Amino acid sequence: MNQTYWLRQVPFVRMVIPLLMGVIFQYSFDFEIAFLLLYVFIFVAFGMFSYHFRWVEEQFAFRWIFGLSFFISLFFIGIFLTKQHTVQLMSINEEEQSFVGVVSELPEEKQNSVKVFVELQFVNDTYGWKPLETKALLYFEKETLSKQLAYGDLLIFKAKLSEIQNSKNPNEFDYKQYLANKGVAYQAYVTHEKWNRIGQGQGDYLRLSAQKVRAYFLQIYRQNGLTDDEFAVAAALTLGYKHDLDAETRQSYAATGAMHILAVSGLHVGIIFMIIKYFLFFLDKVKWGKYLKFAITIFILWAFAYISGLSPSVRRAAIMFSFISASMLVERKVNIYNSIAASAFFLILENPFIIFQVGFQLSYLAVLSIIFFQPKIHALLYIKNKMLDKLWALVSVSIAAQIGTSPIALFYFHQFPNYFIITNLIVIPMAILIVYSALALLILSFSDIAAYFVGKLLVGLTYVLNQSIALIEKMPYSTTQHIDFNSLQLFGFYAVVGSIILYLIKKQKRFLQIALLLAVFLFLGRVSKTIETQEQQKMVIFNVNKSLVINFIQGNKGIIFTSDTTINSTSLQFAAQNFWTAKQIVVENYLSIKEEYESEHLKKKGQVFIFSDKKMVIIDDEKSIRYEEVSSKMPIDLVIISKSPSIEIEDILSIYQPKQIVFDPTVPFWQRKLFAKECESLGISYFSIKEEGAFTLNQ
């Protein structure tokens, strides 16, 4: 196909690229908004002027001027939109204040609290009530009333807002930026006596209506026998309701490569679309029938999108099928790439930060990869038998999707489902049957007898799906975990895929040679990283709440000493697992900080550690500085202050000559301030883990 002709068929591809570039540019460099409006105005005006100026119209050689102006205008629009959606920090009162706000998302019940996102509308300061426009993450004390909170509830509460902060552990998930991309910068804990619900139904009308419809559908599920894991999976798979999915179920689906089934997406919207098309076929023969069919299709598709929670994947699919419906209405062939680009374009206009959501990235990469690679993979093997050919088609879809999504999944989750083909051969047909059964149950819910039997079918199908996932997860080597895959490898892998795509399109060997060369560089980089990790030697004190956690690393082996042997494994994994994965570290021992230990590179006796040529001591009470084997004025590399010892820095200096003093996360805030002030007056280097993040000592 002629390249120029193809580009004319995909105007939204040409539009979404500069918009995307503008968003990424602003996100990376934070361009000043004062210049944006001027630049946008200049380029839009210049573009319109050049388009209507006669000599540009008549001279083909100058038509690029309009295209360039339009490209740059969209680039600056991307910058402008990103700036507008960036969270603006406000000055925070250190005392408790009263706020009025609206619950902006479905509350989520946690183990000891109820997690609620709130759009703040008013704050009561010393000058009275003032309007406010920001979002906050609130954790309400778990009790009867807080468990009844719902989307659209208007609340008045008293709390001390604090800016959301990361623990600043190496390679740790950037939770602060994650919430900032959602417009949230503050958090607080609200006890039961410090809040009241003063109104309901204050949210977006369409979302409120959709929430009520979904709640009604979920009640139908419950009334017809769906409980526990079957209810949780069916609700997530058909209605996008994921709040009842427990951690174990999520992990099982993620580990087997079936997590995409629990996100309402193109598969679900496609089924709805085909059902509408099938049942409304008679309208094709009626005058104006095709227009009525189009209107009904659009209404049902977007009603389903709203009811299922308007995730990026379902919105992408709804926009795509809306374009397909429109093309059928005007009897024109739709370009699938243009439809995909159009859906991305409108989603980015609505919220530019959506491109940084993992769900958005996986959704678009999966569908693009399937569209391009699946026909080519399927054509590699010719099968006469129709059933086997359909089976091979399903396998080729799974392989194609993995080509597009595996790099980004490895980058974020550091694991790979080895049996993804087996998983998809089971879950995709099962998901289709479950969607059909769920629709049948909702339609036939007026009949107790019919609903009873369909409900039993839905329970059985969901049970079989869950058991199949559990069985695959338990198979030997079902998942490869803790795979180190950094951003350089991510871009390198996609560069290889891009070169292969160009080779398949243009049939020029140079692109295949580029792909092979890039693959060699990736392999050499991997080898170099492995050699580097085998030679590493360092000590890390992680920032884990109310615990001293010291990690000694020699090569790719590590040992943990902690002050709290009952520390929540989830907390430690969240703080350290990404670091261990990036450095290819296997932790072999978890020991109490009180235990003695000796190996080739590490010796621990009493309060003293000797790690190769580095010496450090832990001081966690006033007795620590009188340890019998420590001589007067002992030169030492590091003093670690833990808990709340009744000492002063001068007491430490009377016995040790430390190069640096570290305050661990267990030291109270007031005492950290006193220690820091004393260190500054004495000219001693210090490091506060709670404020500055994990402390690293390299050999």
Side-chain angles (χ1 to χ4, degrees):
M1 182 185 294
N2 181 275
Q3 184 174 338
T4 304
Y5 174 78
W6 186 84
L7 287 173
R8 288 176 181 173
Q9 305 303 307
V10 289
F12 277 104
V13 172
R14 290 178 286 151
M15 292 167 63
V16 78
I17 290 173
L19 186 68
L20 197 61
M21 291 172 62
V23 172
I24 295 172
F25 179 88
Q26 175 62 25
Y27 185 82
S28 303
F29 301 107
D30 194 19
F31 203 67
E32 283 301 321
I33 201 166
F35 301 101
L36 289 179
L37 294 176
L38 177 62
Y39 286 146
V40 171
F41 174 78
I42 290 173
F43 280 105
V44 170
F46 183 69
M48 297 302 295
F49 177 75
S50 67
Y51 182 76
H52 290 287
F53 200 48
R54 189 171 184 80
W55 65 268
V56 173
E57 284 187 343
E58 293 177 349
Q59 300 295 323
F60 180 81
F62 294 101
R63 291 185 181 179
W64 61 269
I65 295 176
F66 173 74
L68 179 62
S69 301
F70 192 63
F71 185 97
I72 296 176
S73 297
L74 284 170
F75 175 80
F76 280 112
I77 288 172
I79 293 176
F80 178 77
L81 289 172
T82 307
K83 188 69 175 180
Q84 287 295 98
H85 281 79
T86 300
V87 175
Q88 302 298 321
L89 297 177
M90 61 182 186
S91 57
I92 302 176
N93 194 320
E94 293 188 358
E95 303 299 323
E96 276 192 339
Q97 291 179 287
S98 295
F99 298 89
V100 172
V102 176
V103 177
S104 59
E105 293 184 21
L106 277 176
E108 183 179 351
E109 192 173 323
K110 311 294 275 187
Q111 185 174 357
N112 299 310
S113 62
V114 178
K115 179 181 176 181
V116 182
F117 287 97
V118 174
E119 289 186 1
L120 301 179
Q121 296 181 338
F122 297 96
V123 57
N124 188 8
D125 60 15
T126 54
Y127 300 100
W129 288 98
K130 288 186 175 181
L132 191 63
E133 287 187 17
T134 191
K135 291 182 181 179
L137 170 58
L138 304 180
Y139 291 92
F140 286 83
E141 182 182 352
K142 192 173 179 179
E143 37 85 33
T144 304
L145 290 177
S146 62
K147 290 193 288 186
Q148 296 174 359
L149 286 169
Y151 171 78
D153 284 351
L154 183 65
L155 309 177
I156 183 169
F157 61 93
K158 182 176 285 188
K160 181 181 176 181
L161 286 187
S162 61
E163 187 179 341
I164 294 170
Q165 297 290 346
N166 289 325
S167 298
K168 299 177 184 176
N169 290 305
N171 302 95
E172 188 180 59
F173 174 67
D174 193 345
Y175 189 60
K176 179 180 180 179
Q177 188 60 58
Y178 167 77
L179 288 179
N181 291 346
K182 298 179 70 173
V184 181
Y186 304 99
Q187 63 181 355
Y189 182 80
V190 185
T191 55
H192 73 278
E193 76 277 2
K194 293 187 176 181
W195 71 275
N196 276 302
R197 178 165 45 197
I198 57 176
Q200 293 177 295
Q202 300 295 311
D204 175 76
Y205 175 76
L206 288 176
R207 285 193 65 183
L208 279 168
S209 302
Q211 297 288 351
K212 290 178 181 178
V213 173
R214 182 161 71 172
Y216 174 70
F217 287 166
L218 291 172
Q219 187 60 31
I220 291 175
Y221 285 177
R222 293 188 180 97
Q223 290 172 351
N224 288 278
L226 275 87
T227 57
D228 302 328
D229 289 343
E230 283 69 46
F231 171 81
V233 170
L237 198 154
T238 60
L239 296 173
Y241 181 83
K242 299 182 181 180
H243 289 265
D244 283 6
L245 287 172
D246 57 32
E248 185 178 349
T249 302
R250 289 175 186 266
Q251 174 56 30
S252 295
Y253 275 78
T256 55
M259 198 65 185
H260 62 94
I261 289 297
L262 300 182
V264 177
S265 61
L267 173 68
H268 309 73
V269 178
I271 293 171
I272 302 294
F273 180 79
M274 294 305 296
I275 291 173
I276 297 169
K277 185 180 178 183
Y278 177 77
F279 280 101
L280 299 182
F281 72 94
F282 62 91
L283 290 177
D284 293 332
K285 301 177 182 179
V286 179
K287 186 179 180 180
W288 306 107
K290 64 178 183 179
Y291 295 101
L292 180 60
K293 182 179 180 180
F294 172 76
I296 294 172
T297 301
I298 296 299
F299 173 78
I300 294 177
L301 287 180
W302 283 99
F304 175 71
Y306 263 89
I307 291 169
S308 61
L310 280 179
S311 66
S313 58
V314 77
R315 279 185 286 176
R316 184 216 75 220
I319 293 173
M320 282 174 55
F321 280 102
S322 297
F323 269 81
I324 292 171
S325 299
S327 67
M328 292 168 65
L329 180 68
V330 298
E331 298 179 350
R332 288 185 59 184
K333 187 177 180 180
V334 65
N335 185 297
I336 189 65
Y337 292 103
N338 192 56
S339 298
I340 295 170
S343 66
F345 182 81
F346 290 119
L347 291 178
I348 294 170
L349 285 181
E350 178 196 9
N351 175 19
F353 284 105
I354 198 172
I355 70 171
F356 303 108
Q357 294 181 15
V358 181
F360 177 91
Q361 296 169 12
L362 288 172
S363 174
Y364 277 89
L365 286 169
V367 72
L368 287 170
S369 190
I370 290 170
I371 290 168
F372 183 83
F373 285 110
Q374 192 275 335
K376 295 172 176 58
I377 295 171
H378 184 254
L380 293 174
L381 188 61
Y382 174 72
I383 301 176
K384 289 184 178 181
N385 185 284
K386 289 186 177 180
M387 287 298 295
L388 290 177
D389 186 60
K390 288 183 178 180
L391 196 65
W392 168 235
L394 193 55
V395 170
S396 62
V397 167
S398 299
I399 296 172
Q402 286 296 331
I403 292 173
T405 59
S406 289
I408 202 79
L410 288 172
F411 177 72
Y412 285 117
F413 308 118
H414 305 289
Q415 64 180 19
F416 185 81
N418 297 323
Y419 302 137
F420 70 89
I421 292 178
I422 298 174
T423 299
N424 285 314
L425 284 175
I426 296 171
V427 301
I428 292 178
M430 290 298 298
I432 293 172
L433 291 175
I434 288 171
V435 171
Y436 276 123
S437 300
L439 286 172
L441 176 60
L442 297 176
I443 293 170
L444 298 173
S445 59
F446 66 90
S447 170
D448 292 341
I449 297 175
Y452 172 81
F453 287 106
V454 177
K456 289 292 184 183
L457 175 63
L458 182 56
V459 170
L461 289 170
T462 312
Y463 176 80
V464 171
L465 175 61
N466 286 340
Q467 293 304 308
S468 300
I469 292 297
L471 181 63
I472 294 171
E473 185 189 19
K474 292 176 182 177
M475 291 170 64
Y477 310 109
S478 63
T479 309
T480 303
Q481 295 183 323
H482 311 317
I483 302 171
D484 173 32
F485 202 81
N486 56 37
S487 56
L488 184 61
Q489 292 169 313
L490 174 69
F491 292 120
F493 193 99
Y494 279 122
V496 171
V497 173
S499 299
I500 292 172
I501 290 173
L502 289 172
Y503 168 73
L504 293 173
I505 293 173
K506 295 182 175 293
K507 308 298 182 184
Q508 296 177 8
K509 289 185 178 180
R510 58 175 176 162
F511 293 112
L512 188 58
Q513 292 169 344
I514 291 172
L516 291 172
L517 185 63
L518 288 169
V520 169
F521 278 123
L522 285 174
F523 175 75
L524 292 176
R526 187 75 179 179
V527 171
S528 175
K529 179 71 176 291
T530 301
I531 295 172
E532 178 187 336
T533 57
Q534 289 175 347
E535 297 175 350
Q536 65 188 337
Q537 191 177 50
K538 61 180 67 183
M539 183 272 289
V540 180
I541 306 176
F542 290 105
N543 186 5
V544 180
N545 191 35
K546 298 180 181 179
S547 297
L548 170 59
V549 179
I550 308 177
N551 187 190
F552 292 95
I553 300 158
Q554 181 67 44
N556 61 357
K557 296 179 181 180
I559 183 170
I560 292 285
F561 285 89
T562 176
S563 61
D564 182 8
T565 54
T566 63
I567 186 172
N568 187 325
S569 60
T570 303
S571 300
L572 182 55
Q573 291 292 318
F574 185 85
Q577 187 57 66
N578 283 351
F579 169 72
W580 293 336
T581 298
K583 300 298 182 181
Q584 301 177 11
I585 297 165
V586 177
V587 177
E588 296 183 327
N589 283 309
Y590 291 83
L591 302 174
S592 167
I593 205 73
K594 300 297 183 183
E595 291 186 50
E596 307 280 303
Y597 181 84
E598 186 170 355
S599 67
E600 182 182 354
H601 301 283
L602 175 64
K603 181 179 180 180
K604 159 75 165 62
K605 187 170 184 179
Q607 301 292 96
V608 178
F609 289 91
I610 300 175
F611 184 48
S612 293
D613 62 341
K614 302 292 184 182
K615 187 178 289 187
M616 56 203 79
V617 64
I618 297 175
I619 296 177
D620 53 11
D621 59 35
E622 54 275 14
K623 296 179 182 179
S624 302
I625 60 173
R626 293 194 296 271
Y627 183 67
E628 60 183 9
E629 292 188 13
V630 176
S631 60
S632 180
K633 292 287 183 178
M634 176 182 179
I636 200 159
D637 295 284
L638 197 66
V639 169
I640 303 169
I641 300 179
S642 185
K643 299 180 181 178
S644 183
S646 300
I647 59 169
E648 296 181 354
I649 299 298
E650 286 186 342
D651 297 328
I652 297 173
L653 298 183
S654 67
I655 296 179
Y656 300 109
Q657 292 180 352
K659 293 181 180 178
Q660 192 170 21
I661 296 177
V662 172
F663 316 140
D664 84 358
T666 66
V667 179
F669 174 73
W670 64 268
Q671 199 167 26
R672 293 199 304 271
K673 290 185 70 175
L674 289 177
F675 284 152
K677 188 175 182 181
E678 195 174 355
C679 284
E680 289 171 0
S681 65
L682 295 170
I684 301 296
S685 174
Y686 70 92
F687 188 97
S688 177
I689 291 176
K690 200 68 177 176
E691 282 74 32
E692 301 179 66
F695 176 83
T696 301
L697 180 66
N698 293 301
Q699 292 289 69

